[in-house]
Amino acid sequence: MDEREALSRIAATLPDAGDDAAVVGSTVITTDMLHDRTDFPAGTTRYTAGWRAVGASLSDVAAMGADATAAVAVYADADFDPDALTAFIDGAADVCAAVDGRYVGGDLDRHSEFTAATTAIGETDDPVRRSGATPGEAVCVTGTLGRSAAAVELFDAAATGDGEEVASDRLDRANELFRFPPRIAAGRALAGHATAMMDSSDGLARSVHQLAEASDVGFALDRAAVPIDPTVDDVTETAEDRWRLATRFGEDFELVCTVPEAALESAVDRCPTDLTRIGSVVPADRGVTVDGEPLPDRGYTHGDEGS
């Protein structure tokens, strides 16, 4: 049983599950767990790990259109190196400060590998769920896609033995790309316009399938319109690899949303980061397509790393 099947079973008994975060009154709450072997390539600094781990939970808050309030984390490792622990806390605190939230602590534990479990909370009186899209609306995405995939390629390339200076430059760039900006401000700006929204942590292709399923609609995407981060061009050689890294790798934590045509111009103007239209919402029987061809439901799923 992979993550998606597990989540579907959970949703059958927990009605508050199913969106990027649970909503209790006006509070949104979400939790994530990241592991050294699957989430932090060799060369990831503890500062970057702290930023990224807490940022992943803050991204879920952003996807609900909420303000970020605070975050906590469990830091687990085989031993507690003081410099590593301090760097992690600095990264966690800095990513919270970047979105006007607070990092307020957490817990320490022993574990066979470095693991971070993070929880973030936020506030909104009008959460944006995944289930409100209707045919005729625009499909949009914030920022650019493929940053994390490019970072992993650079982490891997740093180990190829091309020289210490080259490796150091690659690691610096990879860590910079891995410290993504949680889209809290964009989520708040879009909350008054978006009818459905989620983050792209599992990849654009999988995200649009999840939105389509939640809203009982289809999507017709324009491949040329998908905003791909320029760094992806530096680590790929073919158009197909470029497309794959941008749409199936995931972990970019951008927002994918649907917006009524009448509100699209206002949404673009109000969004503090680039908001790009990449297609349209269509009836469910038309499925999810890109340039008229079916878009496979492929992306990252825990328990199915071969996807």
Side-chain angles (χ1 to χ4, degrees), residues 57-69:
S57 292
L58 291 170
S59 180
D60 288 334
V61 172
M64 304 300 291
D67 284 312
T69 304

